[in-house]
Amino acid sequence: MLAASVVALAAAFVTLPAGTAGAAQNILRADKSVPRSCFAKVLPKGTPGTDRRELKSTVDGLVQARLKPASGTEGDWDVAVFDKATGAVVAASAALRTRELAESFVKKDQELIVQGCRYGGSADRAQLGVDFLALTPQGTPTTVQKAQLVRVETPTRADKNKLTASGLDVTEKGDATGVEVVLADDADRQTLKNTGFKSKVIEADLSAKSVQDAKTDRQYAATTAASALPSGRTSYRHLYDYNYELKELARKNPGLVSAFTMPESTWEGRDVVGIEIASDVKNLTDGKPVNFTMGVHHAREWPAGEHVMEWAYELINGYAHDPAIRSLVGKTRNIVVPIINPDGFEISREAEPKGDFTRFDYEMKRKNCNVNDSPAQYSTGVCKANPAGRLRGTDPNRNYAGFWGGNGAEIAWSGDTFRGSAPFSEPEVRNVRSIVSSRQVTNLMTMHTVAALVLRPPGVADVRPPLEEPAYKALGDKMASRNGYTSEPSWALYDTTGTTEDWSYWATGGWGFTIEVGGNGFHGPYADSVVAEYEGLAPAAGAGKGGNRQAFLDQLGSAADPQQHSTLIGSAPKGYQLKLHKTFQTPTSPVIQADGSTKPPIYVTDDLNSKFTTTGGRFAWSVNPSTRPYVAGRYGRDPQGPAQQGFAVTNPAGVPPINQNYPADPAGDSFTFHVNGLPQVDNGKFSVNINWASTATDWDLFIYDAAGNLVSSSANGGTTSEHAVLFDPPAGDYKAVVVNYDQADPATVDDWSGDVSFASPIPPTYGPKEAYQLTCTSPKGQLVGVADVYADRGQTVDVGEVCTRSAHAQKQRASGGVR
């Protein structure tokens, strides 16, 4: 969907009262700083810590109010734009520095107040710039096209790969037999029709649903004094809410919470803000395991940021009032970044749903705001109002180096899962990389919506699970028992490449998970998608089980457990600094090209560097295993016996009648078969295969266990075969049902034939051990020791000699004892 508007820039500069020097008209001044909200209300003129300008909008379109430092001193200034007549906030920005962008929609001749507030720091001035951008209609559709949510039948991996490469907006909600897809307009509906996939409408009018959800949220906020959440919040936050609350948490809890700005700003110049929570938060090199929780890679997934923000409140409140949480916080360091993609989130969040599909298109934005890969005609204007609508930008969660370039990401710039021009091409992704590469992140959680899943690597089935699969799965299953979600490897939904944990885990060995928050919609009603899902309240699947709150605590418990990472121990004088370093190259996937061909993988260099400062005497430093999982090997099991003998099957006598209740009741031809187990045979998988003569016939295949559970299926269209596979099948009886999908006249359909085949399990593979290079330097920067360190998960390695012996030798050398 391309938005029906173009942007023309019309600059308007604020002016001070008559007599003020022209060169100074854009300089805000405040003699003192006052930590308070700049966007809560219009403050009276002359209020300490504030300065303001009044102006009138020159356009129907956008207002942009930017702040930047007026001198070499950074400081922390915030900005807010208000409607003068009503006092309502129009736009605001409240990051940690004086680099702010407040942007939203205005009407021509609307009277505005632009308020600057000096929150903190020594800078008594800030430079303000205000621009207006006119939105000029390019042609309004005579009828507004409905956006819909449909479920597309994708019973095989090949189907899922074909769907994800189609250019359609494929969501993360699906299962073994189908995936939900957003159809933005008639063009998308035609694209889906052209694929030949079968589909069913789940939500007939997404825009209408969004309007109703917003109404539901307003009613909930109006009638609820405080929710059950740790913050008591009752409505979705804006970007300025997040940033203001983060720095307030740091200001009010100085020994426990520290706010920080990530290294790179976004394409539109916004800062990405986070906080760190630890019992001695200022000591970043104390050696505690690091738990990193983040949200909103995808702009429209508002609950993801809310859950992460509530987790921050959970830790801070719990440290003061809950002994169990206080103990866990004392043993760990927690990095919390609620909004990884602030450009995209700000656009989605501020696109108030009013039934105008052009605006709704922005509400459904998934990607960031990179313009470099868009054609020239779609890269004009600001991200919030440009001809490409939601389609401009890169999907940050397809841009990491892990298996980048393969199936599960789109090649075209306009695809909602567009992978970007290269691994780590996006600043938002490089920000995450910078933390993971420097902080020994032992546990990572990235939040998404709306599939109700706990996902772990690998994102591609052909990669095979890591050697640590049993322990990795156990932690995912434990978290899923709390929120009622499904725990599975990411590929079980469909192949994905370039995702956060598929880089972080394979490169560093730190556990990495995606939690797909359940609920109804990418940002469904707040009471359900946020309050109920976080706290484990009805109607959430985790009601009574602890919800995502308890899943987060399970993850934190894993971070605090020495058996879940490696530990370096030793002795060193006070102030000595240990450094762990490792540089390596990892190939991406063979890079799929637009014509379907592939080019060789790209080798991506990662540089891991982390530090630990000793306090004198014995120390313990929690680190990830030295051998990265990418080279450590793959999980499997050695066959304990031969695979079961296969057998042929044929169409039973007579063709089933037309089934008027299909697909709700997939009755059809059926046959049963028995799967043996140890000690007679060891089956790594079985495959039920059927074939027929012509595509004029369409058979579908469903496999049920003895309890009647659907365990596998294959339901393609336009083929002459189906193949249903089940890995590591439990011994027992199974029933295969073959269905006449088109419900054609039984006399006209082809008979089928086929077989049931079995295969042995694939044995595990093992790779070479890798080492960290460990160095020790004195407080004066003198290198006193170097060693290679090999460490496995759960292992404690004594490295004391790297500092103690060398430090002793250094002392002797200084006194002439060593020549």
Side-chain angles (χ1 to χ4, degrees):
M1 167 65 185
L2 300 182
S5 63
V6 295
V7 177
L9 177 64
F13 297 99
V14 297
T15 58
L16 290 177
T20 303
Q25 63 183 359
N26 296 319
I27 302 299
L28 302 179
R29 290 178 171 82
D31 292 336
K32 62 182 294 186
S33 62
V34 181
R36 63 181 162 211
S37 169
C38 199
F39 55 80
K41 62 181 179 180
V42 178
L43 297 168
K45 288 183 179 179
T47 298
T50 68
D51 199 358
R52 63 191 282 183
R53 302 288 184 270
E54 296 185 16
L55 63 158
K56 184 181 292 187
S57 170
T58 60
V59 301
D60 285 327
L62 291 175
V63 60
Q64 289 185 326
R66 291 182 182 269
L67 288 184
K68 64 180 182 180
S71 64
T73 305
E74 181 70 59
D76 182 0
W77 281 73
D78 298 336
V79 67
V81 181
F82 297 90
D83 178 76
K84 184 176 181 179
T86 64
V89 63
V90 174
S93 182
L96 303 183
R97 307 186 296 175
T98 309
R99 299 175 189 275
E100 310 287 355
L101 169 58
E103 177 185 70
S104 196
F105 297 95
V106 290
K107 294 291 186 181
K108 187 176 182 183
D109 296 326
Q110 182 177 356
E111 294 186 320
L112 304 170
I113 296 174
V114 180
Q115 180 169 277
C117 304
R118 182 181 167 189
Y119 179 90
S122 60
D124 62 356
R125 293 176 297 159
Q127 183 174 334
L128 170 68
V130 180
D131 291 332
F132 292 105
L133 294 88
L135 304 186
T136 306
Q138 192 181 29
T140 302
T142 55
T143 58
V144 176
Q145 296 186 23
K146 289 183 179 180
Q148 296 177 313
L149 185 69
V150 301
R151 177 182 166 85
V152 179
E153 294 183 24
T154 54
T156 69
R157 286 184 56 222
D159 292 333
K160 290 178 171 61
N161 290 338
K162 179 180 176 182
L163 180 64
T164 56
S166 67
L168 294 172
D169 187 356
V170 180
T171 76
E172 280 83 13
K173 189 169 186 178
D175 52 33
T177 62
V179 181
E180 292 187 4
V181 173
V182 174
L183 302 179
D185 52 19
D186 290 342
D188 280 356
R189 282 180 272 275
Q190 184 61 48
T191 296
L192 178 60
K193 182 178 180 180
N194 293 343
T195 66
F197 287 125
K198 306 161 190 174
S199 65
K200 179 175 70 174
V201 174
I202 302 297
E203 189 70 53
D205 189 341
L206 278 177
S207 184
K209 179 185 184 302
S210 188
V211 172
Q212 180 58 49
D213 286 349
K215 180 180 179 181
T216 299
D217 284 346
R218 289 192 294 271
Q219 292 172 341
Y220 176 76
T223 57
T224 306
S227 71
L229 295 170
S231 71
R233 184 86 186 184
T234 60
S235 62
Y236 283 109
R237 293 170 170 89
H238 299 267
L239 181 61
Y240 51 80
D241 289 314
Y242 278 107
N243 289 344
Y244 177 72
E245 287 182 45
L246 288 171
K247 64 185 180 185
E248 278 289 279
L249 288 174
R251 183 181 68 85
K252 294 177 179 179
N253 303 276
L256 183 67
V257 184
S258 177
F260 64 90
T261 299
M262 297 185 94
E264 297 192 45
S265 58
T266 66
W267 290 103
E268 296 223 309
R270 292 183 175 89
D271 282 345
V272 185
V273 176
I275 57 174
E276 187 154 353
I277 303 168
S279 55
D280 183 14
V281 73
K282 300 300 183 183
N283 182 11
L284 297 181
T285 58
D286 61 5
K288 294 178 181 177
V290 177
N291 183 43
F292 184 10
T293 309
M294 69 191 88
V296 190
H297 274 78
H298 294 150
R300 64 194 176 193
E301 298 174 5
W302 308 350
E306 296 290 334
H307 283 242
V308 174
M309 192 71 199
E310 293 305 322
W311 174 236
Y313 278 95
E314 189 80 62
L315 294 175
I316 295 165
N317 296 346
Y319 188 78
H321 305 294
D322 186 320
I325 294 178
R326 185 182 183 89
S327 176
L328 288 172
V329 171
K331 297 174 182 176
T332 59
R333 302 190 68 86
N334 286 270
I335 298 174
V336 178
V337 183
I339 309 294
I340 293 294
N341 175 14
D343 284 350
F345 171 72
E346 205 272 345
I347 288 168
S348 175
R349 181 66 184 92
E350 302 309 319
E352 293 291 343
K354 299 176 181 177
D356 174 352
F357 185 67
T358 298
R359 188 72 58 82
F360 182 70
D361 185 54
Y362 288 108
E363 187 187 343
M364 286 293 105
K365 185 173 180 63
R366 171 186 172 103
K367 302 189 286 185
N368 71 0
C369 284
N370 185 352
V371 302
N372 292 339
D373 300 301
S374 305
Q377 67 268 33
Y378 297 136
S379 61
T380 59
V382 299
C383 198
K384 185 174 284 186
N386 70 91
R390 78 173 199 281
L391 298 182
R392 189 165 84 180
T394 298
D395 182 344
N397 203 41
R398 297 295 185 274
N399 188 244
Y400 293 86
F403 309 116
W404 184 91
N407 286 323
E410 292 183 75
I411 302 166
W413 71 273
S414 58
D416 282 279
T417 60
F418 174 54
R419 68 195 186 193
S421 58
F424 295 118
S425 63
E426 308 308 304
E428 299 88 350
V429 175
R430 293 194 298 270
N431 278 332
V432 175
R433 184 192 198 186
S434 71
I435 289 180
V436 174
S437 297
S438 64
R439 297 297 305 278
Q440 290 292 339
V441 174
T442 62
N443 293 73
L444 178 148
M445 182 75 74
T446 174
M447 301 298 292
H448 291 257
T449 67
V450 61
L453 297 170
V454 178
L455 301 174
R456 64 185 185 277
V460 181
D462 290 343
V463 169
R464 294 180 56 203
L467 287 174
E468 299 175 309
E469 165 67 4
Y472 212 159
K473 179 179 184 298
L475 179 55
D477 290 352
K478 184 178 183 181
M479 291 190 288
S481 74
R482 311 297 194 174
N483 51 30
Y485 301 167
T486 298
S487 170
E488 62 187 17
S490 293
W491 61 260
L493 177 61
Y494 48 74
D495 278 355
T496 54
T497 51
T499 60
T500 314
E501 68 274 20
D502 244 359
W503 166 74
S504 65
Y505 170 69
W506 296 104
T508 74
W511 294 139
F513 290 92
T514 286
I515 285 187
E516 289 272 351
V517 178
N520 181 15
F522 295 110
H523 41 266
Y526 190 85
D528 296 342
S529 296
V530 181
V531 180
E533 293 290 337
Y534 182 86
E535 290 290 340
L537 304 172
K545 303 174 184 177
N548 279 327
R549 172 189 182 273
Q550 188 58 54
F552 286 169
L553 287 170
D554 290 338
Q555 172 87 323
L556 184 58
S558 170
D561 182 358
Q563 292 302 308
Q564 301 304 312
H565 50 262
S566 306
T567 307
L568 307 185
I569 62 171
S571 298
K574 183 178 180 180
Y576 276 61
Q577 189 170 80
L578 298 172
K579 296 182 181 179
L580 280 180
H581 171 248
K582 185 164 59 169
T583 299
F584 50 85
Q585 285 192 320
T586 308
T588 66
S589 299
V591 182
I592 299 174
Q593 305 300 301
D595 62 2
S597 65
T598 61
K599 289 187 176 180
I602 299 169
Y603 278 80
V604 178
T605 300
D606 279 306
D607 191 60
L608 307 184
N609 282 285
S610 52
K611 301 176 182 179
F612 170 73
T613 303
T614 64
T615 57
R618 299 293 293 174
F619 64 81
W621 185 7
S622 298
V623 301
N624 285 313
S626 58
T627 303
R628 56 195 161 115
Y630 184 82
V631 301
R634 298 292 183 269
Y635 179 70
R637 56 186 178 84
D638 294 323
Q640 303 299 302
Q644 188 170 339
Q645 289 293 316
F647 55 89
V649 291
T650 57
N651 198 156
V655 177
I658 295 174
N659 178 2
Q660 299 293 342
N661 295 321
Y662 180 79
D665 174 23
D669 289 346
S670 66
F671 63 89
T672 60
F673 60 98
H674 185 78
V675 173
N676 295 322
L678 294 171
Q680 298 96 335
V681 296
D682 188 1
N683 295 313
K685 72 174 182 178
F686 72 63
S687 178
V688 180
N689 313 290
I690 61 172
N691 306 278
W692 59 96
S694 169
T695 56
T697 296
D698 188 359
W699 293 105
D700 288 345
L701 177 61
F702 302 87
I703 312 298
Y704 299 87
D705 64 15
N709 300 307
L710 180 67
V711 296
S712 184
S713 66
S714 182
N716 299 299
T719 68
T720 58
S721 65
E722 300 288 358
H723 309 275
V725 177
L726 183 64
F727 290 93
D728 290 323
D733 292 324
Y734 292 83
K735 181 179 182 179
V737 178
V738 186
V739 174
N740 175 359
Y741 173 79
D742 291 326
Q743 299 297 287
D745 184 340
T748 67
V749 298
D750 297 327
D751 285 349
W752 55 263
S753 63
D755 64 82
V756 178
S757 61
F758 297 85
S760 296
I762 299 174
T765 59
Y766 301 93
K769 290 279 190 178
E770 287 186 328
Y772 287 117
Q773 184 186 66
L774 176 67
T775 61
C776 182
T777 57
S778 71
K780 294 183 179 180
Q782 296 171 312
L783 179 65
V784 296
V786 180
D788 288 336
V789 174
Y790 295 85
D792 295 329
R793 191 175 301 278
Q795 184 180 17
T796 298
V797 179
D798 193 335
V799 298
E801 293 184 358
V802 76
C803 283
T804 55
R805 280 191 181 178
S806 298
H808 178 65
Q810 185 72 28
K811 183 177 180 180
Q812 287 184 316
R813 183 178 299 111
S815 63
V818 175
R819 302 293 181 185

